[in-house]
Amino acid sequence: MNWKSRRFSGTVSLTDKGSEVTLYGWVDTIRDHGQLLFIHIRDRSGVLQLVFDPEYNKQSYDIAQTLRSEDVIEAIGTVIERDDAAKNPHLPTGSIEIHIKSIKRLTKALTPPFIITEKELKDGEEKAEFNVDEDIRLQYRYLDLRRPSMQQHLFKRYRILKVIRDYLDKEGFIEVETPVLTKSTPEGARDYLVPSRTHEGHFYALPQSPQLFKQLLMVGGFERYFQVVKCFRDEDLRPNRQPEFTQLDMEASFIDETFIYNLIEPLITKAFEIGDIKLEGPFPHITYQESMDKYGCDRPDLRFGLEMINVTEIFKNTSYKIFQSISQSNGLIKGINIKGMADQMSKSMLQEDLAKKVIPSLGAKGMTWMKVLDGKLESNIVQFLSEDEQKNIIQQLDGQNGDVLIFIADTDHALVNDVLGRFRLYIANRLNIIPKNVYKACWVVDFPLYERKDGRLHSVHHPFTTPKVDITKITDQDELLKVTAIAYDIVVNGEELGGGSIRIHDPNIQSKIFKDLGLTPEQIEQKFGFFINAFKYGTPPHGGLAIGVDRLTSMVLGLENIREVIAFPKNRVAYCPMTQAPSPVTDDQLSDLHIRTQLTPKPESK
RNA sequence: GGGGGCGUAGCUCAGCUGGUUAGAGCGCCUGCCUGUCACGCAGGAGGUCGACGGUUCGAGCCCGUUCGUCCCCGCCA
């Protein structure tokens, strides 16, 4: 390999005119014209046209005729400027070509199962969409990765992480690795377990996050730590979830939440700059409560309005039966104003599609709609509303001509928020009112410390999160549910990119939390004994945050799917079509691990 | 764990009310072609219609089971 004089195809340009270049790469495309043959050579830098002419070099031409797509070649030739008519403006190297004096096939390639080349298209035509079943792409991931767009995804992922590492380095953070074989922790997602050979009947767990270790690094006095680290959760997958995923994990000592905000905003901004996206700062802070009230979820999409407004009071004494009974039984009525969409939303769409199909599928019983026309409300139920009620509605929802008002009412407050919040996103998508190429970041702060599930308290964030008030004296569950925590999420365009908290460094508060969560002293000792113990030896106040690298990268690159920015992801059912993992192992391996499998018997068919 | 969609050529898909020899585009192979870059032209190969069972004179199509995959919900401190 003549790697010393090798040139990368995409870097050859007009300035190299007349010089001889040595190229290595793959055959991207072949166009055989009889007595003239063109080949595009592709390497990681780009594509370049090679010209084979028997009058120029008969031997090279003869070899070129035997080449096929994806053969690996060495090509040596002279850089020539193309005639003006032959220039290709769609190719970065389209004004030059290489007249070949020597061509060698280094390896032969089978015909790939799908097309790898991403040819440039002619004017006015859409870029051909790459549309191959994802399982086939994953089965031949090494071929999929050869596609220029996939290479760009991973190049940019590297670039984002490089920018982040450089920034954190400058801020005095150091990267420390933490164990992958660790202890199973209670609560949270299911652990991936790893049986121990040397400790019969005992198991390691793969970390769901390095949470405990990064806090112990703070006890260890490192003060500023970060890590780009794989985390593992054995839960059912979703389009944007992987069983193993990458987090940018961070922790710092002697800081408060404002340190985190000041640290992370430039970090996120720099990351988005890799995708040529400018984020407007400072990022607004929205409390959890405000986010739930206005947007019905804890990760608000701020790119468009449609804020939810509580109108329960207006209908306290209404004669519209549904609203009357709901408002009088302590229910909740909320509305959104879809500005200027009266023409786009026909009565049949509102009544037959949205009210009868969409809203029930979101989980609510019904929906009430009104249009604002000529300063008045118009709908199928408006005759049940008094003049005052109509006036108040228009006023509170800022109703103007052409607006459409949508209301959801239910005795279950959480249901109203949830359904209207999801409807807000649904209708914004359907009516195309989400602006393109707009990115809105925000902090969601003041999360509740606890939530209630099946009558028991659970941590909203995790059990090491500092409450905003002294909870050591609070015993009543309803009172505890009102307590907020110093916990924060970073949200962009309605997607949670990361979150964190200021941690507890006071052992008394920590043990109170464990008690509230219903852990017995024995359980605490067994699960967290080492952790509690460490905190007795002088723990600095500390806090941190973790960012989902896969999500961040896919958003920066404008991609829907995190698998596009992961070299070797698992599919939807946590299976790898390429390696066929997971797979059975030999009895000897199991025996070494003191494990016997017991498969659930399949019911006999017939 | 619950609900829904899909499975036909290497890839992406069409296939009528159940009826002769299952089609298209791309890719692949052969030949022709001196300026293409989604080259063009002519010809050709390529199918266990996911699998199993059933209904029927007859099944790619209808029914059942099963496998695979995708989407939604549960789940993801």
Side-chain angles (χ1 to χ4, degrees), chain A residues 31-32 82 86 97 120 125 133 235 459 461 572:
Chain A
R31 289 174 299 283
D32 185 352
R82 300 195 199 178
E97 61 194 12
E120 296 296 322
E125 292 186 72
D133 187 84
E235 289 293 341
S459 293
H461 190 53
R572 172 62 211 276

mmCIF file of all heavy atoms in Angstrom, chain A residues 31-32 82 86 97 120 125 133 235 459 461 572, chain B residues 10 12 29 34-39 70 73 75 77:
data_model
loop_
_atom_site.group_PDB
_atom_site.id
_atom_site.type_symbol
_atom_site.label_atom_id
_atom_site.label_comp_id
_atom_site.label_asym_id
_atom_site.label_seq_id
_atom_site.Cartn_x
_atom_site.Cartn_y
_atom_site.Cartn_z
ATOM 1 N N ARG A 31 -20.010 3.487 -15.505
ATOM 2 C CA ARG A 31 -20.749 3.819 -16.732
ATOM 3 C C ARG A 31 -19.857 3.472 -17.915
ATOM 4 O O ARG A 31 -18.855 4.134 -18.168
ATOM 5 C CB ARG A 31 -21.133 5.303 -16.739
ATOM 6 C CG ARG A 31 -22.211 5.658 -15.744
ATOM 7 C CD ARG A 31 -22.449 7.143 -15.684
ATOM 8 N NE ARG A 31 -21.248 7.862 -15.273
ATOM 9 C CZ ARG A 31 -20.813 7.924 -14.017
ATOM 10 N NH1 ARG A 31 -21.487 7.335 -13.057
ATOM 11 N NH2 ARG A 31 -19.721 8.578 -13.733
ATOM 12 N N ASP A 32 -20.251 2.408 -18.611
ATOM 13 C CA ASP A 32 -19.435 1.882 -19.711
ATOM 14 C C ASP A 32 -20.013 2.363 -21.033
ATOM 15 O O ASP A 32 -21.142 2.023 -21.391
ATOM 16 C CB ASP A 32 -19.444 0.343 -19.632
ATOM 17 C CG ASP A 32 -18.512 -0.268 -20.661
ATOM 18 O OD1 ASP A 32 -17.985 0.481 -21.518
ATOM 19 O OD2 ASP A 32 -18.314 -1.495 -20.608
ATOM 20 N N ARG A 82 -12.086 18.952 -16.415
ATOM 21 C CA ARG A 82 -13.038 18.510 -17.425
ATOM 22 C C ARG A 82 -13.374 19.660 -18.367
ATOM 23 O O ARG A 82 -13.301 20.830 -17.987
ATOM 24 C CB ARG A 82 -14.343 18.046 -16.766
ATOM 25 C CG ARG A 82 -14.194 16.904 -15.800
ATOM 26 C CD ARG A 82 -15.586 16.338 -15.529
ATOM 27 N NE ARG A 82 -15.622 15.540 -14.305
ATOM 28 C CZ ARG A 82 -16.725 14.971 -13.840
ATOM 29 N NH1 ARG A 82 -17.882 15.154 -14.469
ATOM 30 N NH2 ARG A 82 -16.694 14.247 -12.734
ATOM 31 N N ALA A 86 -18.685 18.978 -19.732
ATOM 32 C CA ALA A 86 -18.647 17.691 -19.035
ATOM 33 C C ALA A 86 -18.592 17.858 -17.523
ATOM 34 O O ALA A 86 -18.568 16.868 -16.788
ATOM 35 C CB ALA A 86 -17.446 16.883 -19.514
ATOM 36 N N GLU A 97 -11.389 15.193 -13.201
ATOM 37 C CA GLU A 97 -11.462 13.744 -13.317
ATOM 38 C C GLU A 97 -10.035 13.228 -13.410
ATOM 39 O O GLU A 97 -9.091 14.009 -13.603
ATOM 40 C CB GLU A 97 -12.271 13.345 -14.555
ATOM 41 C CG GLU A 97 -11.669 13.846 -15.862
ATOM 42 C CD GLU A 97 -12.642 13.741 -17.030
ATOM 43 O OE1 GLU A 97 -13.829 13.496 -16.792
ATOM 44 O OE2 GLU A 97 -12.201 13.929 -18.178
ATOM 45 N N GLU A 120 -25.498 11.566 -6.810
ATOM 46 C CA GLU A 120 -26.121 12.886 -6.899
ATOM 47 C C GLU A 120 -27.157 12.861 -8.016
ATOM 48 O O GLU A 120 -26.981 12.203 -9.032
ATOM 49 C CB GLU A 120 -25.060 13.935 -7.209
ATOM 50 C CG GLU A 120 -24.022 14.083 -6.116
ATOM 51 C CD GLU A 120 -24.629 14.593 -4.823
ATOM 52 O OE1 GLU A 120 -25.516 15.453 -4.897
ATOM 53 O OE2 GLU A 120 -24.207 14.128 -3.756
ATOM 54 N N GLU A 125 -34.846 17.304 -9.108
ATOM 55 C CA GLU A 125 -35.369 16.033 -8.634
ATOM 56 C C GLU A 125 -34.981 15.823 -7.185
ATOM 57 O O GLU A 125 -33.911 16.200 -6.749
ATOM 58 C CB GLU A 125 -34.820 14.890 -9.493
ATOM 59 C CG GLU A 125 -35.356 14.934 -10.915
ATOM 60 C CD GLU A 125 -34.912 13.721 -11.713
ATOM 61 O OE1 GLU A 125 -35.431 12.642 -11.445
ATOM 62 O OE2 GLU A 125 -34.040 13.876 -12.573
ATOM 63 N N ASP A 133 -35.493 -2.069 4.326
ATOM 64 C CA ASP A 133 -35.927 -2.577 5.616
ATOM 65 C C ASP A 133 -34.782 -2.511 6.618
ATOM 66 O O ASP A 133 -33.657 -2.927 6.345
ATOM 67 C CB ASP A 133 -36.387 -4.026 5.441
ATOM 68 C CG ASP A 133 -37.023 -4.560 6.707
ATOM 69 O OD1 ASP A 133 -38.227 -4.307 6.882
ATOM 70 O OD2 ASP A 133 -36.313 -5.202 7.491
ATOM 71 N N GLU A 235 -35.535 -2.890 29.304
ATOM 72 C CA GLU A 235 -36.959 -2.596 29.182
ATOM 73 C C GLU A 235 -37.374 -2.782 27.731
ATOM 74 O O GLU A 235 -36.535 -2.825 26.835
ATOM 75 C CB GLU A 235 -37.236 -1.153 29.613
ATOM 76 C CG GLU A 235 -37.098 -0.913 31.110
ATOM 77 C CD GLU A 235 -38.155 -1.645 31.917
ATOM 78 O OE1 GLU A 235 -39.189 -2.028 31.351
ATOM 79 O OE2 GLU A 235 -37.922 -1.819 33.132
ATOM 80 N N SER A 459 -39.553 7.937 43.925
ATOM 81 C CA SER A 459 -38.801 9.124 43.536
ATOM 82 C C SER A 459 -39.136 9.477 42.097
ATOM 83 O O SER A 459 -39.154 8.613 41.229
ATOM 84 C CB SER A 459 -37.292 8.862 43.626
ATOM 85 O OG SER A 459 -36.914 8.677 44.958
ATOM 86 N N HIS A 461 -37.212 11.621 40.342
ATOM 87 C CA HIS A 461 -35.891 11.591 39.700
ATOM 88 C C HIS A 461 -35.151 10.338 40.176
ATOM 89 O O HIS A 461 -35.200 9.311 39.552
ATOM 90 C CB HIS A 461 -35.144 12.877 40.037
ATOM 91 C CG HIS A 461 -33.891 13.061 39.249
ATOM 92 N ND1 HIS A 461 -33.835 13.002 37.889
ATOM 93 C CD2 HIS A 461 -32.615 13.302 39.656
ATOM 94 C CE1 HIS A 461 -32.590 13.196 37.473
ATOM 95 N NE2 HIS A 461 -31.833 13.369 38.521
ATOM 96 N N ARG A 572 -35.714 -3.283 17.104
ATOM 97 C CA ARG A 572 -36.829 -2.948 17.987
ATOM 98 C C ARG A 572 -37.021 -3.975 19.111
ATOM 99 O O ARG A 572 -37.532 -3.669 20.169
ATOM 100 C CB ARG A 572 -38.091 -2.811 17.135
ATOM 101 C CG ARG A 572 -39.379 -2.651 17.855
ATOM 102 C CD ARG A 572 -39.439 -1.412 18.696
ATOM 103 N NE ARG A 572 -40.275 -1.650 19.856
ATOM 104 C CZ ARG A 572 -41.579 -1.539 19.842
ATOM 105 N NH1 ARG A 572 -42.188 -1.154 18.775
ATOM 106 N NH2 ARG A 572 -42.271 -1.793 20.932
ATOM 107 P P G B 10 -34.542 -13.184 -4.264
ATOM 108 O OP1 G B 10 -33.676 -14.100 -5.022
ATOM 109 O OP2 G B 10 -35.374 -13.661 -3.137
ATOM 110 O "O5'" G B 10 -33.654 -11.986 -3.730
ATOM 111 C "C5'" G B 10 -32.598 -12.214 -2.805
ATOM 112 C "C4'" G B 10 -31.777 -10.967 -2.698
ATOM 113 O "O4'" G B 10 -31.162 -10.722 -3.981
ATOM 114 C "C3'" G B 10 -32.592 -9.704 -2.414
ATOM 115 O "O3'" G B 10 -32.721 -9.497 -1.023
ATOM 116 C "C2'" G B 10 -31.777 -8.619 -3.088
ATOM 117 O "O2'" G B 10 -30.677 -8.237 -2.288
ATOM 118 C "C1'" G B 10 -31.236 -9.354 -4.322
ATOM 119 N N9 G B 10 -32.112 -9.230 -5.497
ATOM 120 C C8 G B 10 -32.639 -10.283 -6.201
ATOM 121 N N7 G B 10 -33.367 -9.903 -7.224
ATOM 122 C C5 G B 10 -33.315 -8.523 -7.189
ATOM 123 C C6 G B 10 -33.900 -7.574 -8.050
ATOM 124 O O6 G B 10 -34.617 -7.770 -9.040
ATOM 125 N N1 G B 10 -33.601 -6.271 -7.662
ATOM 126 C C2 G B 10 -32.821 -5.946 -6.586
ATOM 127 N N2 G B 10 -32.649 -4.653 -6.378
ATOM 128 N N3 G B 10 -32.254 -6.822 -5.768
ATOM 129 C C4 G B 10 -32.541 -8.085 -6.131
ATOM 130 P P U B 12 -36.526 -4.031 1.069
ATOM 131 O OP1 U B 12 -36.476 -3.431 2.415
ATOM 132 O OP2 U B 12 -37.082 -5.378 0.874
ATOM 133 O "O5'" U B 12 -37.295 -3.031 0.101
ATOM 134 C "C5'" U B 12 -37.024 -1.639 0.146
ATOM 135 C "C4'" U B 12 -37.883 -0.914 -0.851
ATOM 136 O "O4'" U B 12 -37.522 -1.333 -2.188
ATOM 137 C "C3'" U B 12 -39.371 -1.222 -0.775
ATOM 138 O "O3'" U B 12 -40.006 -0.507 0.272
ATOM 139 C "C2'" U B 12 -39.847 -0.831 -2.161
ATOM 140 O "O2'" U B 12 -39.956 0.565 -2.282
ATOM 141 C "C1'" U B 12 -38.666 -1.300 -3.024
ATOM 142 N N1 U B 12 -38.900 -2.655 -3.572
ATOM 143 C C2 U B 12 -39.614 -2.748 -4.761
ATOM 144 O O2 U B 12 -40.043 -1.776 -5.343
ATOM 145 N N3 U B 12 -39.801 -4.026 -5.228
ATOM 146 C C4 U B 12 -39.357 -5.192 -4.645
ATOM 147 O O4 U B 12 -39.601 -6.261 -5.189
ATOM 148 C C5 U B 12 -38.632 -5.018 -3.417
ATOM 149 C C6 U B 12 -38.433 -3.783 -2.937
ATOM 150 P P C B 29 -23.146 -7.878 -12.936
ATOM 151 O OP1 C B 29 -21.775 -8.131 -12.473
ATOM 152 O OP2 C B 29 -23.503 -6.572 -13.521
ATOM 153 O "O5'" C B 29 -23.555 -9.004 -13.979
ATOM 154 C "C5'" C B 29 -23.335 -10.376 -13.687
ATOM 155 C "C4'" C B 29 -23.863 -11.227 -14.811
ATOM 156 O "O4'" C B 29 -25.313 -11.129 -14.835
ATOM 157 C "C3'" C B 29 -23.445 -10.780 -16.203
ATOM 158 O "O3'" C B 29 -22.146 -11.229 -16.546
ATOM 159 C "C2'" C B 29 -24.537 -11.395 -17.072
ATOM 160 O "O2'" C B 29 -24.324 -12.785 -17.231
ATOM 161 C "C1'" C B 29 -25.763 -11.203 -16.174
ATOM 162 N N1 C B 29 -26.503 -9.959 -16.480
ATOM 163 C C2 C B 29 -27.402 -9.970 -17.560
ATOM 164 O O2 C B 29 -27.519 -11.014 -18.216
ATOM 165 N N3 C B 29 -28.102 -8.846 -17.853
ATOM 166 C C4 C B 29 -27.935 -7.750 -17.115
ATOM 167 N N4 C B 29 -28.649 -6.671 -17.438
ATOM 168 C C5 C B 29 -27.026 -7.707 -16.020
ATOM 169 C C6 C B 29 -26.341 -8.823 -15.739
ATOM 170 P P U B 34 -18.483 4.059 -29.565
ATOM 171 O OP1 U B 34 -17.956 4.371 -30.911
ATOM 172 O OP2 U B 34 -17.878 2.983 -28.743
ATOM 173 O "O5'" U B 34 -18.448 5.397 -28.711
ATOM 174 C "C5'" U B 34 -18.767 5.390 -27.329
ATOM 175 C "C4'" U B 34 -18.252 6.652 -26.693
ATOM 176 O "O4'" U B 34 -16.794 6.604 -26.677
ATOM 177 C "C3'" U B 34 -18.645 7.935 -27.414
ATOM 178 O "O3'" U B 34 -18.890 8.924 -26.433
ATOM 179 C "C2'" U B 34 -17.394 8.291 -28.209
ATOM 180 O "O2'" U B 34 -17.249 9.676 -28.437
ATOM 181 C "C1'" U B 34 -16.303 7.801 -27.250
ATOM 182 N N1 U B 34 -15.055 7.467 -27.939
ATOM 183 C C2 U B 34 -13.935 8.182 -27.579
ATOM 184 O O2 U B 34 -13.971 9.043 -26.712
ATOM 185 N N3 U B 34 -12.797 7.847 -28.266
ATOM 186 C C4 U B 34 -12.684 6.900 -29.236
ATOM 187 O O4 U B 34 -11.594 6.713 -29.754
ATOM 188 C C5 U B 34 -13.888 6.194 -29.551
ATOM 189 C C6 U B 34 -15.007 6.505 -28.908
ATOM 190 P P G B 35 -20.089 9.983 -26.710
ATOM 191 O OP1 G B 35 -21.324 9.174 -26.786
ATOM 192 O OP2 G B 35 -19.758 10.938 -27.789
ATOM 193 O "O5'" G B 35 -20.110 10.805 -25.350
ATOM 194 C "C5'" G B 35 -20.493 10.172 -24.137
ATOM 195 C "C4'" G B 35 -20.260 11.118 -22.993
ATOM 196 O "O4'" G B 35 -18.865 11.055 -22.587
ATOM 197 C "C3'" G B 35 -20.559 12.576 -23.325
ATOM 198 O "O3'" G B 35 -21.094 13.215 -22.178
ATOM 199 C "C2'" G B 35 -19.166 13.165 -23.552
ATOM 200 O "O2'" G B 35 -19.093 14.554 -23.290
ATOM 201 C "C1'" G B 35 -18.365 12.369 -22.518
ATOM 202 N N9 G B 35 -16.922 12.326 -22.748
ATOM 203 C C8 G B 35 -16.240 11.924 -23.852
ATOM 204 N N7 G B 35 -14.942 12.003 -23.701
ATOM 205 C C5 G B 35 -14.769 12.493 -22.426
ATOM 206 C C6 G B 35 -13.597 12.788 -21.699
ATOM 207 O O6 G B 35 -12.432 12.664 -22.048
ATOM 208 N N1 G B 35 -13.885 13.266 -20.431
ATOM 209 C C2 G B 35 -15.139 13.436 -19.928
ATOM 210 N N2 G B 35 -15.213 13.915 -18.694
ATOM 211 N N3 G B 35 -16.258 13.172 -20.582
ATOM 212 C C4 G B 35 -15.992 12.699 -21.819
ATOM 213 P P U B 36 -22.694 13.571 -22.117
ATOM 214 O OP1 U B 36 -23.353 13.286 -23.406
ATOM 215 O OP2 U B 36 -22.778 14.910 -21.530
ATOM 216 O "O5'" U B 36 -23.215 12.540 -21.030
ATOM 217 C "C5'" U B 36 -23.663 11.250 -21.426
ATOM 218 C "C4'" U B 36 -23.282 10.242 -20.367
ATOM 219 O "O4'" U B 36 -21.842 10.145 -20.300
ATOM 220 C "C3'" U B 36 -23.700 10.625 -18.956
ATOM 221 O "O3'" U B 36 -25.056 10.307 -18.703
ATOM 222 C "C2'" U B 36 -22.741 9.786 -18.120
ATOM 223 O "O2'" U B 36 -23.164 8.445 -18.064
ATOM 224 C "C1'" U B 36 -21.466 9.834 -18.964
ATOM 225 N N1 U B 36 -20.513 10.853 -18.491
ATOM 226 C C2 U B 36 -19.783 10.556 -17.348
ATOM 227 O O2 U B 36 -19.924 9.517 -16.743
ATOM 228 N N3 U B 36 -18.897 11.523 -16.956
ATOM 229 C C4 U B 36 -18.665 12.717 -17.557
ATOM 230 O O4 U B 36 -17.837 13.485 -17.083
ATOM 231 C C5 U B 36 -19.451 12.957 -18.736
ATOM 232 C C6 U B 36 -20.326 12.036 -19.153
ATOM 233 P P C B 37 -25.944 11.258 -17.787
ATOM 234 O OP1 C B 37 -27.270 10.640 -17.676
ATOM 235 O OP2 C B 37 -25.799 12.647 -18.271
ATOM 236 O "O5'" C B 37 -25.221 11.164 -16.369
ATOM 237 C "C5'" C B 37 -25.303 9.966 -15.603
ATOM 238 C "C4'" C B 37 -24.383 10.082 -14.417
ATOM 239 O "O4'" C B 37 -23.039 10.326 -14.868
ATOM 240 C "C3'" C B 37 -24.670 11.254 -13.484
ATOM 241 O "O3'" C B 37 -25.656 10.886 -12.558
ATOM 242 C "C2'" C B 37 -23.330 11.473 -12.810
ATOM 243 O "O2'" C B 37 -23.125 10.559 -11.764
ATOM 244 C "C1'" C B 37 -22.350 11.127 -13.927
ATOM 245 N N1 C B 37 -21.838 12.316 -14.630
ATOM 246 C C2 C B 37 -20.723 12.956 -14.080
ATOM 247 O O2 C B 37 -20.230 12.510 -13.043
ATOM 248 N N3 C B 37 -20.223 14.035 -14.709
ATOM 249 C C4 C B 37 -20.790 14.485 -15.827
ATOM 250 N N4 C B 37 -20.258 15.562 -16.409
ATOM 251 C C5 C B 37 -21.935 13.854 -16.395
ATOM 252 C C6 C B 37 -22.415 12.778 -15.768
ATOM 253 P P A B 38 -26.758 11.835 -12.149
ATOM 254 O OP1 A B 38 -27.422 12.482 -13.280
ATOM 255 O OP2 A B 38 -26.210 12.655 -11.074
ATOM 256 O "O5'" A B 38 -27.724 10.773 -11.476
ATOM 257 C "C5'" A B 38 -27.164 9.732 -10.681
ATOM 258 C "C4'" A B 38 -27.739 8.405 -11.076
ATOM 259 O "O4'" A B 38 -29.148 8.408 -10.776
ATOM 260 C "C3'" A B 38 -27.620 8.094 -12.568
ATOM 261 O "O3'" A B 38 -27.412 6.706 -12.737
ATOM 262 C "C2'" A B 38 -28.986 8.476 -13.132
ATOM 263 O "O2'" A B 38 -29.364 7.722 -14.260
ATOM 264 C "C1'" A B 38 -29.885 8.119 -11.944
ATOM 265 N N9 A B 38 -31.110 8.923 -11.909
ATOM 266 C C8 A B 38 -31.251 10.240 -12.214
ATOM 267 N N7 A B 38 -32.461 10.687 -12.091
ATOM 268 C C5 A B 38 -33.170 9.577 -11.663
ATOM 269 C C6 A B 38 -34.513 9.389 -11.351
ATOM 270 N N6 A B 38 -35.433 10.351 -11.402
ATOM 271 N N1 A B 38 -34.899 8.159 -10.972
ATOM 272 C C2 A B 38 -33.984 7.192 -10.900
ATOM 273 N N3 A B 38 -32.677 7.255 -11.163
ATOM 274 C C4 A B 38 -32.347 8.485 -11.544
ATOM 275 P P C B 39 -26.056 6.197 -13.388
ATOM 276 O OP1 C B 39 -26.031 4.744 -13.456
ATOM 277 O OP2 C B 39 -25.005 6.919 -12.675
ATOM 278 O "O5'" C B 39 -26.113 6.791 -14.876
ATOM 279 C "C5'" C B 39 -26.674 6.015 -15.891
ATOM 280 C "C4'" C B 39 -26.903 6.886 -17.086
ATOM 281 O "O4'" C B 39 -25.633 7.104 -17.773
ATOM 282 C "C3'" C B 39 -27.768 6.273 -18.167
ATOM 283 O "O3'" C B 39 -29.156 6.379 -17.860
ATOM 284 C "C2'" C B 39 -27.383 7.115 -19.370
ATOM 285 O "O2'" C B 39 -27.943 8.406 -19.301
ATOM 286 C "C1'" C B 39 -25.853 7.227 -19.160
ATOM 287 N N1 C B 39 -25.149 6.136 -19.867
ATOM 288 C C2 C B 39 -25.022 6.238 -21.257
ATOM 289 O O2 C B 39 -25.497 7.226 -21.837
ATOM 290 N N3 C B 39 -24.403 5.244 -21.935
ATOM 291 C C4 C B 39 -23.918 4.187 -21.269
ATOM 292 N N4 C B 39 -23.313 3.238 -21.976
ATOM 293 C C5 C B 39 -24.042 4.069 -19.851
ATOM 294 C C6 C B 39 -24.660 5.050 -19.199
ATOM 295 P P C B 70 -38.223 -4.199 14.519
ATOM 296 O OP1 C B 70 -36.960 -3.439 14.501
ATOM 297 O OP2 C B 70 -38.651 -4.877 15.755
ATOM 298 O "O5'" C B 70 -39.410 -3.249 14.050
ATOM 299 C "C5'" C B 70 -39.230 -2.386 12.939
ATOM 300 C "C4'" C B 70 -40.558 -1.785 12.546
ATOM 301 O "O4'" C B 70 -41.500 -2.840 12.247
ATOM 302 C "C3'" C B 70 -41.256 -0.966 13.625
ATOM 303 O "O3'" C B 70 -40.754 0.346 13.720
ATOM 304 C "C2'" C B 70 -42.704 -0.998 13.138
ATOM 305 O "O2'" C B 70 -42.894 -0.104 12.069
ATOM 306 C "C1'" C B 70 -42.807 -2.426 12.604
ATOM 307 N N1 C B 70 -43.346 -3.372 13.605
ATOM 308 C C2 C B 70 -44.729 -3.431 13.767
ATOM 309 O O2 C B 70 -45.444 -2.678 13.093
ATOM 310 N N3 C B 70 -45.252 -4.308 14.662
ATOM 311 C C4 C B 70 -44.449 -5.098 15.369
ATOM 312 N N4 C B 70 -45.015 -5.945 16.234
ATOM 313 C C5 C B 70 -43.037 -5.059 15.221
ATOM 314 C C6 C B 70 -42.532 -4.186 14.337
ATOM 315 P P C B 73 -47.722 5.759 22.713
ATOM 316 O OP1 C B 73 -48.024 7.132 23.165
ATOM 317 O OP2 C B 73 -46.315 5.315 22.593
ATOM 318 O "O5'" C B 73 -48.487 4.734 23.666
ATOM 319 C "C5'" C B 73 -49.742 5.061 24.198
ATOM 320 C "C4'" C B 73 -50.326 3.901 24.985
ATOM 321 O "O4'" C B 73 -50.317 2.696 24.179
ATOM 322 C "C3'" C B 73 -49.571 3.472 26.236
ATOM 323 O "O3'" C B 73 -49.768 4.345 27.331
ATOM 324 C "C2'" C B 73 -50.153 2.092 26.464
ATOM 325 O "O2'" C B 73 -51.456 2.178 26.993
ATOM 326 C "C1'" C B 73 -50.233 1.564 25.030
ATOM 327 N N1 C B 73 -49.024 0.785 24.705
ATOM 328 C C2 C B 73 -48.940 -0.512 25.211
ATOM 329 O O2 C B 73 -49.878 -0.957 25.897
ATOM 330 N N3 C B 73 -47.839 -1.268 24.951
ATOM 331 C C4 C B 73 -46.857 -0.756 24.216
ATOM 332 N N4 C B 73 -45.805 -1.530 23.990
ATOM 333 C C5 C B 73 -46.914 0.569 23.690
ATOM 334 C C6 C B 73 -48.003 1.298 23.951
ATOM 335 P P C B 75 -46.960 2.292 33.320
ATOM 336 O OP1 C B 75 -47.206 2.252 34.770
ATOM 337 O OP2 C B 75 -46.878 3.586 32.628
ATOM 338 O "O5'" C B 75 -45.613 1.498 33.016
ATOM 339 C "C5'" C B 75 -45.264 0.321 33.741
ATOM 340 C "C4'" C B 75 -44.002 -0.266 33.184
ATOM 341 O "O4'" C B 75 -44.173 -0.502 31.767
ATOM 342 C "C3'" C B 75 -42.773 0.640 33.250
ATOM 343 O "O3'" C B 75 -42.148 0.614 34.519
ATOM 344 C "C2'" C B 75 -41.901 0.064 32.140
ATOM 345 O "O2'" C B 75 -41.278 -1.124 32.565
ATOM 346 C "C1'" C B 75 -42.952 -0.284 31.088
ATOM 347 N N1 C B 75 -43.143 0.830 30.120
ATOM 348 C C2 C B 75 -42.215 0.957 29.082
ATOM 349 O O2 C B 75 -41.296 0.140 29.003
ATOM 350 N N3 C B 75 -42.356 1.964 28.188
ATOM 351 C C4 C B 75 -43.365 2.831 28.309
ATOM 352 N N4 C B 75 -43.457 3.799 27.408
ATOM 353 C C5 C B 75 -44.318 2.722 29.357
ATOM 354 C C6 C B 75 -44.169 1.721 30.236
ATOM 355 P P A B 77 -36.232 4.998 34.665
ATOM 356 O OP1 A B 77 -37.162 5.995 34.120
ATOM 357 O OP2 A B 77 -34.810 5.138 34.461
ATOM 358 O "O5'" A B 77 -36.488 4.894 36.228
ATOM 359 C "C5'" A B 77 -37.770 4.588 36.764
ATOM 360 C "C4'" A B 77 -37.843 5.069 38.176
ATOM 361 O "O4'" A B 77 -36.620 4.706 38.841
ATOM 362 C "C3'" A B 77 -38.016 6.576 38.337
ATOM 363 O "O3'" A B 77 -38.863 6.823 39.471
ATOM 364 C "C2'" A B 77 -36.617 7.020 38.668
ATOM 365 O "O2'" A B 77 -36.564 8.212 39.393
ATOM 366 C "C1'" A B 77 -36.121 5.850 39.493
ATOM 367 N N9 A B 77 -34.680 5.715 39.617
ATOM 368 C C8 A B 77 -34.005 5.327 40.738
ATOM 369 N N7 A B 77 -32.697 5.285 40.584
ATOM 370 C C5 A B 77 -32.524 5.682 39.277
ATOM 371 C C6 A B 77 -31.370 5.858 38.501
ATOM 372 N N6 A B 77 -30.138 5.635 38.946
ATOM 373 N N1 A B 77 -31.512 6.278 37.244
ATOM 374 C C2 A B 77 -32.748 6.488 36.787
ATOM 375 N N3 A B 77 -33.909 6.352 37.403
ATOM 376 C C4 A B 77 -33.732 5.949 38.663
#
